[in-house]
Amino acid sequence: MDTFVDSSWYYLRFVDPHDENAAFDPQKVGQWLPVDQYVGGVTHAILHLLYSRFFTKVLHDMGLVDFNEPFTRLLNQGMVIMEGSAMSKSRGNLVRLSDELGEHGVDAIRLSMVFAGPPEDDVDWAEVSPAGSTKFLARAWRLSGDVTSAPGVDPTTGDLAVRKATHKALHDASLAVETFRFNVAVARVMELVNVLRKAIDSGPGPDDPAAREGAEAVAIMLSLVAPYTAEDMWARLGHEPSVARVGWPAIDESLLVEDSVTCVVQVSGKVKDRLEVAPNIGEDDLRELALASSAVTAALEGRGIRTVVVRAPKLVNVVPE
């Protein structure tokens, strides 16, 4: 039969692959399905997805399944293109994946594609920098060799600022992965690597427990997109393989509380000052601080104040008469 016939109900067979008397056990299918997440290109949405929905609806009408949609959520990923066009021999814009892998390694190529943008967008290989990914992975990998504290050290005794950066990165990366914004998750890892590099070189130092906690978090987060680098980091940090079996680190919610936020102060919509204020500052106190700013006084040029718009804790806009 045509491949589309077979591929239109494979998800039902996956649930019960060893039954030699029936296509599937309706009880097992009812326990496991429908599928939580479908990922496929636009061509799949036109053909495969359409046929799968048809098969499921027919089986539902026959009473063999208790749902009439096979997939709960849909994500159409983009394509890898070159200079604005789909790759093809006739255009002469093909990129040999084997050459790219040979030059940069699979981790760097995978990281480059994930970091290039949201999964639903096309990736133009002409605008991608595998060399930059290679440099970043080397920078992250060096952290695992620079940490000098012993495995299992209590991270709560480490530098507070570094610990906050680590748990903020873990928190943001968790949300990004759950919402398929993998490029954002990679960005948070990059930011954390910069924090740890500074902490080791000119901050609390390589022996600080917070540096180890951060380096281990980097290895775990990188394991999602750069598993070979992550495994090597994990081993260099003194752990048994495999980092993929460690699980996601627990996030300390107390470390996510901001000590201060930046409040933008405007006069007639133009930024005149920035104030560091407590996250829970009240509107009256924030208004008083903003009006006491010398930059605001200078911008008013002796004019009276018609109104002050306060959106605590991040914005104050002074409107002169």
Side-chain angles (χ1 to χ4, degrees), residues 49-248:
L49 180 58
L50 180 65
Y51 298 157
S52 295
R53 296 183 66 208
F54 173 78
F55 268 60
T56 300
K57 291 179 184 296
V58 170
L59 292 170
H60 178 265
D61 290 346
M62 295 172 64
L64 295 175
V65 299
D66 60 1
F67 50 89
N68 62 8
E69 288 289 351
F71 313 114
T72 305
R73 290 185 296 272
L74 170 66
L75 173 65
N76 288 134
Q77 86 275 12
M79 297 174 58
V80 181
I81 61 178
M82 184 65 175
E83 296 177 343
S85 302
M87 295 185 192
S88 70
K89 293 181 179 178
S90 60
R91 292 192 182 97
N93 64 346
L94 288 175
V95 175
R96 288 177 59 86
L97 179 60
S98 58
D99 292 344
E100 296 293 315
L101 292 173
E103 181 177 357
H104 303 288
V106 64
D107 276 2
I109 298 302
R110 185 186 292 110
L111 181 70
S112 298
M113 295 181 67
V114 170
F115 187 54
E120 63 270 19
D121 291 354
D122 290 340
V123 175
D124 195 326
W125 198 253
E127 300 173 358
V128 171
S129 175
S133 295
T134 302
K135 291 180 180 178
F136 163 70
L137 289 174
R139 182 177 171 85
W141 177 83
R142 284 195 295 271
L143 293 174
S144 61
D146 293 339
V147 169
T148 57
S149 58
V153 66
D154 184 5
T156 61
T157 62
D159 183 84
L160 182 59
V162 175
R163 296 203 69 221
K164 283 190 172 185
T166 296
H167 285 258
K168 179 71 161 56
L170 286 168
H171 174 266
D172 292 352
S174 298
L175 294 178
V177 169
E178 290 171 0
T179 55
F180 301 102
R181 294 178 298 126
F182 306 115
N183 57 316
V184 175
V186 172
R188 296 298 172 266
V189 179
M190 292 179 171
E191 292 170 359
L192 179 57
V193 168
N194 290 337
V195 170
L196 295 172
R197 185 74 269 160
K198 185 176 180 181
I200 291 173
D201 293 343
S202 59
D207 194 46
D208 191 286
R212 166 169 285 277
E213 181 185 35
E216 291 177 351
V218 168
I220 293 172
M221 288 189 284
L222 276 182
S223 69
L224 300 177
V225 291
Y228 293 101
T229 302
E231 289 293 352
D232 201 20
M233 288 182 66
W234 196 245
R236 279 160 55 92
L237 285 164
H239 297 291
E240 295 292 328
S242 158
V243 67
R245 306 178 71 175
V246 174
W248 201 256

Side-chain angles (χ1 to χ4, degrees), residues 14-26:
F14 279 176
V15 173
D16 190 20
H18 304 298
D19 192 332
E20 297 181 359
N21 300 311
F24 56 85
D25 183 340

